[in-house]
Amino acid sequence: MKNEKLNNWVREVTNLCQPDKIYWCDGSKKEYGHLMAQMVLEGRAIPLKKRPNSFLFRSDPSDVARVEARTFIATKTKEQIGPTNNWVYIDELKQTMTGLYKGCMKGRTMYVIPFSMGPAGSPMSKLAIEITDSPYVVCNMHIMTRVGGKVIDLLNNGGDFIQSLHSVGAPLEKGQKDVSWPCAPMEKKYISHFPDENSIWSFGSGYGGNALLGKKCLALRLASVIAKREGWMAEHMLILRLTSPEGRKYHIAAAFPSACGKTNLAMVQPTVPGWKSECIGDDIAWIKISPDGRLHAINPESGFFGVAPGTSYQSNPMAMDTLRENVIFTNCALTDDGDVWWEGMDGDKPSHTIDWKGRDWTPSSKETAAHANARFTAPASQCPIISPDWEKPEGLPIDIFIFGGRRSAVAPLVMEAFSWDHGVFLGATAASEPTAAILDNVGIRYDPFAMFPFCGYNMADYFQHWFDMGDKLKSKAPRIFYVNWFRKSHDGKWLWPGFGENSRALKWMCERVDGKAGAKKTSIGYLPNESDLDLRGLNIPQKNLRELLRVDAEVWKAEIPKMEEFLSQFGERLPKRLRNQFDELKSRLG
Ligand code: OXD
Ligand code: MN
C-alpha cells in the first residue's frame, strides 16, 4: 500500500502481536470463498446443504453477546464520557491492553481489512482499517461493510482512516491444536474506544458487536463523538421509505433498543391499502444537514446482523427471503437435512436438531436449540424490498423520527411530540422492559434514543447536541413521534397485532406531516383519535383500541420519580431545556 500512516501502523501492530503471517484483504468473492473453505476444512464452519454459499458457526458458550461491562471509553477525564459509560484513564488502559496484545497473534494469520462505512467515496462515509486475527471476522466484515476495491484506491491516494485493532486473544504455541472458536476469558475481554485519537482496541471476543469493529464501536460509539464535534448525528436507527398511494415518499428513521423489532419495522410489509415500504437500513443511521437545510441519512452498513430467533415468515417475511443464500449463521441449530433452525421459525419444531452447543436436541430438551442471541449476517442487497436508493451517496431526506421501547403498560400505541424540544425529551426518557414479561411490576431500563450502550460521550452533552441540531434545522426539522407496539391487557394478551399493522401508525405520522390527519392534545403529546387512524380491514376489539390510545394521568404520575432518578444522574450537566420539558410534563399531569 502507498499509505505511509497505514504501513507504519501495520508494522507497529505486527511487532506487538507477532502473527505468523500477514494477509492484506481485497474484499473479493475469491478471498471470501478461500477463507470459508479453509474454515470448513478446520471444522469451524458448517456448510448448509439447504442454503447456497451459507455457513453455520458455533461460538464458545461464553462468547455469545456484546459485553457492556467489558466495554470501555478511555478519555482524559471521566466527565467527558459521563455516568452511563465505563471509564478508564487512557494511559492506564493502553498499558493493560498493550500487555495483553504482546504476542497475542502467535501461530495465527493477521488480516488487514480496508473498509468503508457508507458507500466508498461518499462525503458522508468514513474509511477505516480493521486488523484482526479472526477469519470469521473478515468474512462477516465482507458482508457488513464495503471491503477493498475503491477503498484501497482512496487509501493509496493518502486517504485518512480510523484504526481498529482486534484480536481473539488466544495465541497458539508451536504444535498447539486450535479450538473452533478461540477467545479469551471474560476478565481479559476489553472492547475499548479512544475517541481523542479515533481508535478502537478490542481484545478477547470473537462475537459480532465486540469484534466487527465497523458496527457498534466505529459507526456508533466513535462516530457519535465525531458527529458531535462536526455537527452531525450518528444514531442507533433503522431507515425506511414509505410511499403513499399518490406516490409521495416519506423517509423515516426510528430508534428502538435491541430486541424491540427494529429489523422487523425496517422491512415492514404495510397492510394499509396502497402503501408501499422500502428498506434502507436496520440498525444505524448517519445523518447530516444537507445544503437544502434538511437532514439526510445514510445507512453506513452494507449488511444485516440480525437476531435469528423469532424471525419467521409471519413476523418478517422480507428478512426470511433475504436469508436464502450467502449468509453466515452463528449459534443457530442445525437440522438433520442440513439447514438452520431457531425458536419461532414457521412450522412445526423439527423432531431432532444439533443445538448451538453441538449437542443432540429434541423438542423435549430443556434448553433452546438456538441461542436466544443467535444471529444471521446477510447482505442488505439481498433484501427483496431494499430501496433502489439505499446507497445514494448524499443520503435520503428524513421526514420523521420515531422513538420507542417495549412497554406492556403506560406508553400509548403512538403519539406525536408537541415540538422539537418535547421530542428530544421523549427520546431522552425512552424506556423499555428487558423482557416481554407480563405487565405490572416489571422493571424498566431507560435507554435514551436507544443509545445507552452506544453513546461515546457524556449522554447529557448528547441531549444538548439534539437541541443544537433542532436550533440549526428550525422549520426543516423532522417531526418526532413515540411508539409502543408492545402494550398488553391486564390478562397479559397483546392489545395490538404489530408487524405489518404498524403501518397504520406510520400512515398517521405521514398524514400529520402533511397536515392531513387530526389528533387530540393530551398531557403527554398529540394522540390520534380512533377516527384519525386508518383501520380499514383491521379486526381488533374496540376496547383494545380505546386502551391503546388512553392516557392515564395517575399511571404517568407514577413514572415521574423514576424519570427524576434517571435524569438526576447527569447533575448540573443536564440541559436546562430538558429539565424544562420535564417540569412542563409534571405540571400538565397536575
Ligand atoms: C445489535 C444490538 O446487535 O443493538 O444491533 O445489540
Ligand atoms: Mn443494534
Side-chain angles (χ1 to χ4, degrees), residues 91-170:
D91 295 354
E92 188 190 326
L93 188 55
K94 285 211 161 164
Q95 199 179 358
T96 310
M97 290 192 72
T98 303
L100 291 169
Y101 279 130
K102 215 166 267 168
C104 71
M105 294 187 188
K106 274 188 187 152
R108 300 192 182 280
T109 300
M110 179 177 111
Y111 301 90
V112 183
I113 316 172
F115 68 100
S116 174
M117 295 311 287
S122 151
M124 294 178 83
S125 300
K126 295 274 180 228
L127 298 182
I129 302 285
E130 175 162 353
I131 293 182
T132 180
D133 53 6
S134 162
Y136 167 84
V137 165
V138 178
C139 289
N140 274 274
M141 289 292 285
H142 267 230
I143 298 176
M144 296 304 296
T145 74
R146 281 94 173 167
V147 174
K150 203 165 165 193
V151 179
I152 296 179
D153 299 338
L154 291 164
L155 288 167
N156 275 335
N157 286 327
D160 201 9
F161 60 93
I162 293 169
Q163 298 178 353
S164 59
L165 172 57
H166 170 254
S167 170
V168 292

Side-chain angles (χ1 to χ4, degrees), residues 37-353:
Q38 185 65 29
M39 287 191 281
V40 169
L41 217 62
E42 293 163 349
R44 296 173 206 277
I46 301 166
L48 297 169
K49 286 197 203 102
K50 292 279 176 168
R51 294 178 201 246
N53 194 30
S54 298
F55 302 86
L56 171 66
F57 287 79
R58 297 189 189 116
S59 81
D60 186 274
S62 68
D63 200 25
V64 292
R66 284 190 291 105
V67 280
E68 287 179 23
R70 304 300 304 164
T71 301
F72 303 94
I73 303 193
T75 49
K76 290 203 184 73
T77 67
K78 184 163 168 40
E79 286 63 46
Q80 277 170 267
I81 63 152
T84 56
N85 282 308
N86 298 319
W87 181 77
V88 186
Y89 183 62
I90 304 178
D91 295 354
E92 188 190 326
L93 188 55
K94 285 211 161 164
Q95 199 179 358
T96 310
M97 290 192 72
T98 303
L100 291 169
Y101 279 130
K102 215 166 267 168
C104 71
M105 294 187 188
K106 274 188 187 152
R108 300 192 182 280
T109 300
M110 179 177 111
Y111 301 90
V112 183
I113 316 172
F115 68 100
S116 174
M117 295 311 287
S122 151
M124 294 178 83
S125 300
K126 295 274 180 228
L127 298 182
I129 302 285
E130 175 162 353
I131 293 182
T132 180
D133 53 6
S134 162
Y136 167 84
V137 165
V138 178
C139 289
N140 274 274
M141 289 292 285
H142 267 230
I143 298 176
M144 296 304 296
T145 74
R146 281 94 173 167
V147 174
K150 203 165 165 193
V151 179
I152 296 179
D153 299 338
L154 291 164
L155 288 167
N156 275 335
N157 286 327
D160 201 9
F161 60 93
I162 293 169
Q163 298 178 353
S164 59
L165 172 57
H166 170 254
S167 170
V168 292
L172 291 168
E173 296 307 327
K174 278 230 152 42
Q176 186 183 341
K177 197 173 164 327
D178 202 3
V179 292
S180 69
W181 184 282
C183 61
M186 191 56 85
E187 70 279 6
K188 283 196 180 162
K189 290 193 208 300
Y190 284 85
I191 321 301
S192 304
H193 308 72
F194 301 90
D196 293 343
E197 57 184 56
N198 268 356
S199 68
I200 300 159
W201 290 16
S202 169
F203 186 90
S205 169
Y207 170 80
N210 306 325
L212 312 178
L213 302 183
K215 192 174 180 63
K216 302 300 183 181
C217 299
L218 193 165
L220 287 174
R221 296 196 193 95
L222 274 195
S224 63
V225 181
I226 301 170
K228 159 88 171 154
R229 206 184 293 141
E230 297 178 354
W232 51 281
M233 308 165 98
E235 300 298 333
H236 191 201
M237 290 179 173
L238 66 93
I239 311 168
L240 70 86
R241 168 190 282 169
L242 265 193
T243 306
S244 72
E246 296 76 36
R248 160 105 155 91
K249 291 178 169 57
Y250 305 83
H251 295 99
I252 301 179
F256 304 115
S258 311
C260 287
K262 279 221 315 294
T263 305
N264 291 347
L265 188 64
M267 299 178 193
V268 69
Q269 291 281 276
T271 50
V272 197
W275 287 68
K276 211 179 102 207
S277 181
E278 292 161 42
C279 174
I280 291 134
D282 81 327
D283 197 42
I284 300 176
W286 282 359
I287 313 169
K288 290 191 187 169
I289 301 179
S290 281
D292 65 2
R294 298 185 65 194
L295 284 178
H296 281 234
I298 63 162
N299 167 16
E301 303 190 280
S302 58
F304 306 121
F305 181 65
V307 178
T311 307
S312 66
Y313 275 99
Q314 198 247 324
S315 65
N316 193 339
M318 294 301 109
M320 292 301 278
D321 281 344
T322 306
L323 302 181
R324 287 174 191 271
E325 55 187 352
N326 312 315
V327 182
I328 299 173
F329 294 96
T330 307
N331 289 340
C332 299
L334 177 68
T335 63
D336 294 346
D337 60 352
D339 200 359
V340 277
W341 186 81
W342 49 74
E343 279 70 18
M345 224 189 223
D346 314 81
D348 296 335
K349 287 182 180 178
S351 56
H352 174 263
T353 70

Side-chain angles (χ1 to χ4, degrees), residues 400-418:
I400 289 168
F401 279 131
I402 306 178
F403 305 121
R406 179 188 286 272
R407 301 281 318 251
S408 51
V410 185
L413 177 69
V414 56
M415 63 176 154
E416 184 185 353
F418 297 126

